[in-house]
């Protein structure tokens, strides 16, 4: 009798497991088999250490600091990012991305220079609409302007 109860309990567990496996399979099939949005693949986290063919494409001196706009090959594409040399306590590095050609930032990443002297990188594009610039700011909410940033690239 005790043996029968254990078998019935296991049978219920097996049925539940089977049901859940079927549900997971059904759910997986319901997801469309399309590529992830381009935005999801556009950023690379640590380009200074994970990319090759690194180069500085723009730079500007700002009050004893050097703000650089960098580029390099990361995986199968070219990316741009910001780097700050000679930073001071309290400095932040901001990297702005223009996606539509109006030379206003559509996307931005800000890093505290003391912890990361470079920003994540964003994938370049054949269109002249896409452009990047980098700047040094003293508040994480401040933006790039003509006196603290590289030219757009």
């Amino acid at each position: 009798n005790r043996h029968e109860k254990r078998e019935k309990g296991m049978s219920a567990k097996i049925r539940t497991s089977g049901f859940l496996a079927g549900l997971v399979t059904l759910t997986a099939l319901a997801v469309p088999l399309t590529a992830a949005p381009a935005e999801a693949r556009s950023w690379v986290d640590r380009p200074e250490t994970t990319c090759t063919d690194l180069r500085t494409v723009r730079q500007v001196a700002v009050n004893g600091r050097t703000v650089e706009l960098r580029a390099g090959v990361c995986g199968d594409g070219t990316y741009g990012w910001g780097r700050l040399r000679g930073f001071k306590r309290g400095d932040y590095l901001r990297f702005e991305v223009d996606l539509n050609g109006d030379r206003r930032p559509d996307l931005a990443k800000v890093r505290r220079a003391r912890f990361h002297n470079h920003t994540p990188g964003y994938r370049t594009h054949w269109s002249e609409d896409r452009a990047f610039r980098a700047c040094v700011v003293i508040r994480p909410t401040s933006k790039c302007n003509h006196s603290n940033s590289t030219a757009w690239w």
Side-chain angles (χ1 to χ4, degrees), residues 1-2 9 31 37 47 64 75 83 85 89 104 137 147:
N1 197 13
R2 200 165 102 195
V31 175
R83 181 169 78 170
R85 291 188 300 126
R89 183 182 175 99
R104 295 178 184 202
V137 294
S147 66

Side-chain angles (χ1 to χ4, degrees), residues 17-28:
S17 303
F19 172 77
L20 290 176
L23 185 60
V24 168
T25 302
L26 184 60
T27 303

Side-chain angles (χ1 to χ4, degrees), residues 95-106:
F95 175 69
E96 296 180 340
V97 180
D98 173 19
L99 297 173
N100 58 15
D102 64 1
R103 295 310 177 252
R104 295 178 184 202
D106 297 305

Side-chain angles (χ1 to χ4, degrees), residues 6-150:
R6 199 166 94 200
E7 283 182 6
K8 283 182 184 179
M10 286 178 72
S11 174
K13 285 180 185 175
I14 291 170
R15 282 196 307 267
T16 302
S17 303
F19 172 77
L20 290 176
L23 185 60
V24 168
T25 302
L26 184 60
T27 303
L29 291 174
V31 175
L33 299 175
T34 58
E39 179 65 24
R41 294 185 309 271
S42 296
W43 291 99
V44 62
D45 190 41
R46 296 190 181 275
E48 284 289 323
T49 58
T50 59
C51 301
T52 60
D53 191 24
L54 307 181
R55 61 200 183 279
T56 301
V57 295
R58 299 268 191 277
Q59 74 177 32
V60 65
V62 179
N63 298 325
R65 307 162 187 92
T66 303
V67 179
E68 297 178 333
L69 191 57
R70 306 269 289 161
V73 177
C74 311
D76 63 350
T78 301
Y79 287 72
W81 62 92
R83 181 169 78 170
L84 183 60
R85 291 188 300 126
F87 59 86
K88 298 175 182 174
R89 183 182 175 99
D91 283 350
Y92 289 85
L93 175 61
R94 181 178 173 93
F95 175 69
E96 296 180 340
V97 180
D98 173 19
L99 297 173
N100 58 15
D102 64 1
R103 295 310 177 252
R104 295 178 184 202
D106 297 305
L107 303 170
K109 294 282 185 177
V110 178
R111 293 290 185 262
R112 190 169 193 170
R114 185 172 93 176
F115 299 118
H116 300 285
N117 78 326
H118 70 279
T119 66
Y122 197 82
R123 191 176 183 119
T124 61
H125 193 267
W126 57 267
S127 169
E128 290 183 14
D129 288 347
R130 178 142 332 150
F132 310 125
R133 72 177 173 180
C135 65
V136 58
V137 294
I138 56 171
R139 288 187 309 272
T141 56
S142 296
K143 297 191 176 167
C144 297
N145 60 57
H146 68 279
S147 66
N148 68 354
S149 70
T150 64

